[in-house]
Amino acid sequence: MMLLARSEIIAGIDIGTTKVCVLIAEVSEPGKPTILGAGSYPSTGIQKGVVVDIDSTVYAIQEAVRLAQKQAGREATSYYVGVTGEHIASLNSSGRIPITNPDREITTNDVEKVLEAARLIVLPPDRQILHAIPCSYTVDGQGGIRQPAGMSGTRLEVQCHIVTGATTFLQNVRKCVVKAGFQVRELVLEPIATGLSVLLPEEKELGVCLVDIGGGTSDIAVFSAGDILYSAVIPIGGTHVTKDVAYGLTVATEEAERLKTESGTAMIEQVSDEEVILVKQIGRDDVRRLRRQALASIIEPRMQELFELVQEELEKADCWGKIPTGIVVSGGGSQLEGCAEVAEQVTGLNIRIGYPRHLGGIGDTLTHPSFATGVGLIHYGAQQFKATPEPVAPQSVSSTAPSGIQQWIANWLKKMGF
């Protein structure tokens, strides 16, 4: 019997405040996806990571998937869906079990048991565990172990990063995807996915903070020793900057978004006195000429507030001294001019903009930070892939292609005159 490598078509769905982004990829071996298609569609049914309009969200998901499938020429069998929002919380937990095997060898079953022990935490009835991520194992007091299976010991311990979310909010996200006609393989915390997309292994090992600026929220994730250490959500994103501009300049939301994208900057000092922008204000037929500094004076305080909140969150979680490589900023909001500079000015840390990396297929064209979470969801799904071989049954005997013995019998009958 022949054995062929089994591949799987997976998809990542990033349901954001301003758009739904869907990527479809083929995975034939763990951790190595090939992007086949991408689709994006405007979204109005999500606010700050929470579903506020199911029908609108369902339609946006369907359209984004349709566009991605059209480019890929394939349909995904399972979908990894990103989640975020102010309802997300995290904590660190530990588990401990004795090793009862006669030879004291730690098995994969023991590893599963100790992880389950770490998950035994008291939660309110309206919350559920989204992730239980093992950070490190300890065998008989020896810490820093990554893979304990196969080792010998009498006691196994694990330190886990537990991510929880509001049950109803998570259920509503899942309901939207299912109602759109697609199977949810797993809900994934967005900063975990984004970290797989934009962070360097060396940064995650030494210690780094990821700040993913989305439309309604900004996600924070701290990594150290190769694993996630802390995660949180800041209730400020790119749409807050747009609303500030709309209010400050008395313009429509669409005009505010255009001004932010085309002429916005987070650093007033980078704008000269001579620079002018054209503004179409509400209730006026003419187009006004304003100093670009006026636009910058609206944007800069909001971006400063964002990174001040990031710093406060890191200090509160005792993570400030654990990120020697600094902060990596990603997401669509990271493309605002002066974003890295204002982040460095507020925090005093090294700052770089994170771009999606390490993808085959059309992945080389998806390098904008707005694709970071979608690309990360594909990376996450590829890591879950199990490369099991697929048996191929031998071909049945065909009358048009006789076997050797059949051919011999046919020749003998012909010779005997039958």
Side-chain angles (χ1 to χ4, degrees):
M1 179 178 291
M2 295 177 59
L3 293 177
L4 296 180
R6 177 178 294 162
S7 63
E8 184 178 2
I9 305 299
I10 65 172
I13 303 183
D14 175 15
I15 308 175
T17 301
T18 59
K19 71 180 187 312
V20 173
C21 177
V22 175
L23 302 183
I24 294 178
E26 181 176 21
V27 186
S28 56
E29 56 181 302
K32 294 187 177 180
T34 299
I35 299 291
L36 304 177
S40 182
Y41 197 82
S43 170
T44 57
I46 296 283
Q47 290 184 8
K48 296 185 178 181
V50 176
V51 178
V52 295
D53 186 333
I54 285 183
D55 291 339
S56 175
T57 305
V58 168
Y59 183 75
I61 292 171
Q62 290 174 330
E63 288 301 298
V65 172
R66 181 184 63 81
L67 294 171
Q69 289 180 343
K70 182 178 179 181
Q71 184 177 26
R74 308 283 293 276
E75 293 185 4
T77 56
S78 56
Y79 293 78
Y80 293 87
V81 183
V83 292
T84 184
E86 295 179 66
H87 65 98
I88 296 294
S90 70
L91 57 95
N92 293 321
S93 177
S94 61
R96 176 188 299 180
I97 64 167
I99 304 303
T100 58
N101 301 319
D103 58 0
R104 301 300 184 187
E105 181 173 324
I106 300 171
T107 66
T108 55
N109 188 46
D110 292 322
V111 175
E112 292 174 1
K113 285 182 179 179
V114 77
L115 288 174
E116 191 60 35
R119 292 171 62 96
L120 295 177
I121 59 175
V122 178
L123 286 176
D126 61 343
R127 297 192 68 80
Q128 68 182 66
I129 293 177
L130 184 62
H131 294 288
I133 305 167
C135 297
S136 66
Y137 295 91
T138 299
V139 176
D140 291 349
Q142 176 62 51
I145 295 172
R146 295 288 180 85
Q147 299 292 343
M151 300 180 67
S152 296
T154 60
R155 187 179 71 255
L156 177 63
E157 301 173 64
V158 66
Q159 292 291 327
C160 267
H161 183 68
I162 306 289
V163 179
T164 69
T167 301
T168 53
F169 294 159
L170 296 176
Q171 286 176 340
N172 285 334
V173 172
R174 183 183 293 272
K175 183 181 295 185
C176 286
V177 179
V178 172
K179 194 173 180 180
F182 309 110
Q183 177 187 353
V184 179
R185 173 69 67 85
E186 189 175 343
L187 297 178
V188 182
L189 183 65
E190 290 191 356
I192 292 177
T194 307
L196 295 173
S197 171
V198 304
L199 296 180
L200 301 172
E202 295 83 1
E203 290 173 330
K204 295 172 72 173
E205 187 65 31
L206 289 176
V208 66
C209 174
L210 169 69
V211 178
D212 184 12
I213 306 176
T217 60
S218 294
D219 299 323
I220 298 176
V222 176
F223 296 83
S224 181
D227 294 298
I228 189 168
L229 182 68
Y230 179 75
S231 55
V233 178
I234 301 294
I236 294 179
T239 57
H240 295 82
V241 177
T242 301
K243 289 178 180 179
D244 289 346
V245 173
Y247 182 83
L249 298 182
T250 321
V251 299
T253 302
E254 294 78 8
E255 175 72 353
E257 182 67 24
R258 182 190 69 81
L259 290 169
K260 181 187 76 173
T261 304
E262 295 179 3
S263 305
T265 178
M267 295 288 287
I268 299 177
E269 62 186 46
Q270 295 182 348
V271 183
S272 68
D273 295 337
E274 293 76 22
E275 293 185 71
V276 174
I277 57 176
L278 301 178
V279 180
K280 180 69 172 65
Q281 291 182 305
I282 296 173
R284 296 178 63 103
D285 295 329
D286 61 325
V287 176
R288 292 192 63 188
R289 293 168 60 87
L290 297 177
R291 292 183 184 275
R292 189 182 174 213
Q293 288 178 340
L295 177 61
S297 68
I298 296 172
I299 295 175
E300 183 178 46
R302 179 65 82 171
M303 294 301 292
Q304 287 177 335
E305 179 190 16
L306 168 60
F307 287 103
E308 286 169 358
L309 289 175
V310 169
Q311 181 170 344
E312 289 176 11
E313 190 69 35
L314 294 175
E315 290 175 344
K316 182 178 69 175
D318 194 27
C319 292
W320 187 249
K322 300 176 182 178
I323 49 173
T325 61
I327 296 176
V328 176
V329 186
S330 191
S334 69
Q335 293 303 282
L336 179 66
E337 182 182 315
C339 177
E341 289 80 359
V342 75
E344 185 172 357
Q345 185 182 78
V346 170
T347 65
L349 300 175
N350 293 324
I351 308 291
R352 77 170 179 88
I353 304 299
Y355 298 89
R357 305 161 51 251
H358 304 316
L359 282 176
I362 69 165
D364 293 338
T365 67
L366 306 176
T367 57
H368 193 278
S370 62
F371 290 108
T373 299
V375 169
L377 289 168
I378 292 297
H379 277 302
Y380 184 92
Q383 289 184 348
Q384 314 307 311
F385 175 74
K386 301 294 189 296
T388 54
E390 182 176 11
V392 179
Q395 292 184 339
S396 60
V397 176
S398 171
S399 59
T400 58
S403 65
I405 187 65
Q406 286 177 314
Q407 186 65 59
W408 183 88
I409 293 173
N411 292 339
W412 181 83
L413 291 172
K414 184 177 180 181
K415 185 183 296 185
M416 298 299 293
F418 290 100

